[in-house]
Amino acid sequence: MTNAPQRYERFVLPEGTKKVSYERDTKIINAASFVIEREDHTVGNVVRMQLHRDANVLFAGYKLPHPLQYKIIVRIHTTSQSSPMQAYNQAINDLDKELNHLKSAFEAQVEMMKQPGDY
């Protein structure tokens, strides 16, 4: 017997818990933190890299507060032409489009491989 949490706790969002919460930084203008529940380095790094593609983002980083806390904290600092909320929403929308395109391309290749003949 160990005191480790159950494995499902890494992925299942408890009832009443928001997936993403937003907290504006009171010390830095156009900066905020987003807490994303039940995610890890996989999502954190992808979101961070997408945010870096935005010219209005001055800083984007994430951290995992503790290995047994299943959440990441994404920090965003933007120029005055944008807000952290706009940058975050744009990054998520762009990632959604990219992943849908990747899925479609993969499915098309799978269908091609199912066809008899030369590859």
Side-chain angles (χ1 to χ4, degrees), residues 89-101:
N89 286 335
Q90 186 65 48
I92 296 300
N93 290 334
D94 290 346
L95 282 171
D96 188 46
K97 288 176 191 170
E98 254 184 80
L99 292 171
N100 282 332
H101 173 73

Side-chain angles (χ1 to χ4, degrees), residues 21 26 28 32 47 53 55 104 107 113 117-118:
S21 60
T26 57
I28 302 172
V47 170
R53 292 179 180 175
S104 297
E107 288 171 345
M113 295 299 281
D118 293 333

Side-chain angles (χ1 to χ4, degrees), residues 19-25 30-37 39 44 47 51 59-63 65 71-78 83-92:
K19 179 71 174 174
V20 179
S21 60
Y22 168 83
E23 184 178 331
R24 191 172 63 84
D25 193 317
N30 288 335
S33 296
F34 295 84
V35 177
I36 307 173
E37 293 289 340
E39 297 297 347
V47 170
L51 285 162
F59 173 82
Y62 79 95
K63 69 178 179 178
K71 64 183 177 183
I72 57 173
I73 301 171
V74 178
R75 297 246 326 127
I76 304 171
H77 182 198
T78 62
S83 73
M85 183 67 81
Q86 288 172 321
Y88 178 82
N89 286 335
Q90 186 65 48
I92 296 300

